[in-house]
Amino acid sequence: AQSVTQLGSHVSVSEGALVLLRCNYSSSVPPYLFWYVQYPNQGLQLLLKYTSAATLVKGINGFEAEFKKSETSFHLTKPSAHMSDAAEYFCAVSSTGNQFYFGTGTSLTVIP
Amino acid sequence: EAGVTQFPSHSVIEKGQTVTLRCDPISGHDNLYWYRRVMGKEIKFLLHFVKESKQDESGMPNNRFLAERTGGTYSTLKVQPAELEDSGVYFCASSQDIWSGRGKVTQYFGPGTRLLVL
């Protein structure tokens, strides 16, 4: 069985501060892992993905995530938050590349 | 290249009515997926088409939901009759042939259809 847990449904950070959004997954086989972002009134946009290459994955808009097998984690980070990063972020896991299992999402607020 | 498009963007209907959602995938993508997010919960898989064939419909809630992909291009998802618990955001996604390589597993999502059943 596969599942994703995103700790913290709401995260607030100050502009310029570190962004850390947590994602832990459960998968019985080597997983594909994804982070998607949803800006207000828009669809899901791929931020980055892990597909068994480098464990540190760099994505768009300065985001990156590190795959840690021993911790079954794929946390999303960005060194310095911008106001434009305010959005909802979703972590997803898949063992086949077909059915994706999503977490419940984390809403990021950036405080000026 | 056009992305995944969905129509309508919003739909408000009364319980017992019928609604049909449409998804146009990225051109050339054989795989098409439907997902649903009920408010405050996770995005859940509904079903997966490979071209015009249903590969996996394990996530379909019940027989009030009918998905089709005639000709292997666009897809429709019909809810008949709609119930209150069907309210949510319905997302469509598409991807290339995953057997082309591990890097091609990315699913590209549409903007979603927000369905409200009153």
Side-chain angles (χ1 to χ4, degrees):
Chain A
Q2 298 167 75
S3 65
V4 168
T5 300
Q6 290 185 242
L7 287 177
S9 58
H10 292 86
V11 171
S12 293
V13 299
S14 297
E15 190 174 15
L18 171 71
V19 176
L20 171 60
L21 304 183
R22 300 179 185 274
C23 172
N24 289 86
Y25 69 91
S26 171
S27 177
S28 57
V29 298
Y32 301 102
L33 291 159
F34 304 83
W35 275 100
Y36 284 86
V37 60
Q38 186 178 25
Y39 298 104
N41 301 314
Q42 296 186 29
L44 295 172
Q45 180 182 357
L46 179 70
L47 268 180
L48 49 80
K49 64 182 179 185
Y50 167 77
T51 58
S52 82
T55 56
L56 182 61
V57 181
K58 295 188 182 298
I60 62 172
N61 302 336
F63 284 93
E64 62 182 35
E66 186 172 7
F67 170 66
K68 292 187 176 180
K69 184 178 179 180
S70 61
E71 299 178 7
T72 60
S73 69
F74 192 57
H75 302 330
L76 182 71
T77 60
K78 181 173 180 179
S80 176
H82 294 168
M83 296 298 295
S84 60
D85 294 328
E88 191 161 20
Y89 293 79
F90 296 91
C91 181
V93 65
S94 177
S95 60
T96 64
N98 286 321
Q99 185 171 348
F100 279 23
Y101 294 83
F102 284 87
T104 50
T106 297
S107 180
L108 177 67
T109 299
V110 182
I111 303 166
Chain B
E1 178 183 283
V4 177
T5 57
Q6 293 186 244
F7 182 83
S9 59
H10 296 78
S11 181
V12 181
I13 62 173
E14 293 189 351
K15 176 182 172 181
Q17 290 186 320
T18 297
V19 63
T20 300
L21 314 181
R22 173 172 170 145
C23 168
D24 287 78
I26 293 172
S27 178
H29 281 192
D30 289 339
N31 296 284
L32 187 149
Y33 310 84
W34 284 98
Y35 291 84
R36 176 175 74 172
R37 188 186 191 199
V38 172
M39 188 164 59
K41 301 206 172 178
E42 71 271 30
I43 300 168
K44 280 195 170 181
F45 169 85
L46 295 178
L47 88 160
H48 168 210
F49 283 100
V50 177
K51 297 184 180 179
E52 68 276 8
S53 300
K54 290 176 186 175
Q55 185 74 16
D56 180 358
E57 52 184 332
S58 61
M60 294 288 264
N62 51 60
N63 59 11
R64 296 186 293 102
F65 289 74
L66 175 64
E68 295 181 322
R69 193 183 183 195
T70 306
T73 54
Y74 71 90
S75 174
T76 58
L77 180 65
K78 180 189 289 188
V79 184
Q80 179 182 31
E83 298 288 345
L84 300 180
E85 64 264 26
D86 300 332
S87 296
V89 181
Y90 290 77
F91 291 102
C92 176
S94 71
S95 71
Q96 294 175 285
D97 176 6
I98 64 170
W99 302 111
S100 299
R102 211 176 148 88
K104 296 207 186 294
V105 297
T106 300
Q107 292 186 15
Y108 298 89
F109 282 77
T113 293
R114 284 147 183 81
L115 174 64
L116 179 60
V117 183
L118 301 175

